[in-house]
Amino acid sequence: MIEIKNLSKSFDSLIVLDKVNFCIDEGNLVVVLGPSGTGKSVLLKSMLGLLPVDDGEVFFDGKSIQAAREREVYEIRKQVGFVFQGTALFDSMNVAENISLPLREHTAMSSKEIMERVCHLLEVVGMAGKAGQYPESLSGGMKRLVAMARALALKPKYLFYDEPTTGLDPIMTDKVVDLMKDLKSRYANSGIVVTHDLQTARAVGDQIYMLKRGRINKLTKIEKELYD
Ligand SMILES: Nc1ncnc2c1ncn2[C@@H]1O[C@H](COP(=O)(O)OP(=O)(O)OP(=O)(O)O)[C@@H](O)[C@H]1O
Ligand SMILES: [Mg+2]
């Protein structure tokens, strides 16, 4: 379970998060909706301690990441698979090398074990046989799938998605959404999805919140209809 308590973050006079409170229960995917520039990426980075916050805390299974020592922060982050906005794949590495990066950094697995895991992950995301390709030869949607495979490499308890379907055509959007649902039921991952896309929010969200002017509110049924 992840609890976000009174999280606040400003950049000079710009208030991005203003006492944000919500919870991610076990097995739930929470969606935070908001237009561009509202602070969705700042929220995700703040939750992982990648950005220092001004106030508030984020508790992972009762442990505050803000109060944690460096070593504990590192242990918490290992439980989180992060699908970054725009994928953040390394262009100089092929698909297999990109996916195996966290395994090489954080585990003592042999090259053979790593390759087996990479092949398995590629199958899970529907990209079997693409291990040797370089990111530049992949479509935006395919890159997103590879980024998802990389996020899964360390068998995370939680998944964080930053704009997973932005910029994708409807077919690829459906594919990514189906995979997100599939991963959740297969591994019972909990997590958070930030997006400005209501269709994606509706398709994957167990709870939907709206981030607006630093404040977060649960989207009611009526608001969901109005948003259409
Ligand atoms: N490191 C930073 N220094 C100063 N301002 C920042 C920094 N990071 C983000 N901001 C500002 O905080 C606000 C929220 O940014 P953020 O990237 O979280 O938006 P977003 O909701 O993710 O937008 P998008 O949908 O375009 O990805 C923006 O006004 C942005 O300019
Ligand atoms: Mg963003």
Side-chain angles (χ1 to χ4, degrees), residues 108-125:
M109 288 165 76
S110 69
S111 300
K112 184 168 170 278
E113 286 166 335
I114 287 177
M115 217 39 224
E116 281 167 5
R117 176 117 186 97
V118 167
C119 288
H120 168 70
L121 289 166
L122 283 172
E123 259 169 46
V124 168
V125 302

Side-chain angles (χ1 to χ4, degrees), residues 100-144:
S100 61
L101 209 58
L103 297 170
R104 274 192 260 126
E105 261 179 37
H106 299 292
T107 75
M109 288 165 76
S110 69
S111 300
K112 184 168 170 278
E113 286 166 335
I114 287 177
M115 217 39 224
E116 281 167 5
R117 176 117 186 97
V118 167
C119 288
H120 168 70
L121 289 166
L122 283 172
E123 259 169 46
V124 168
V125 302
M127 291 281 287
K130 306 280 188 212
Q133 293 208 16
Y134 281 82
E136 64 177 9
S137 70
L138 303 176
S139 71
M142 290 158 98
K143 281 188 207 172
R144 214 64 66 92

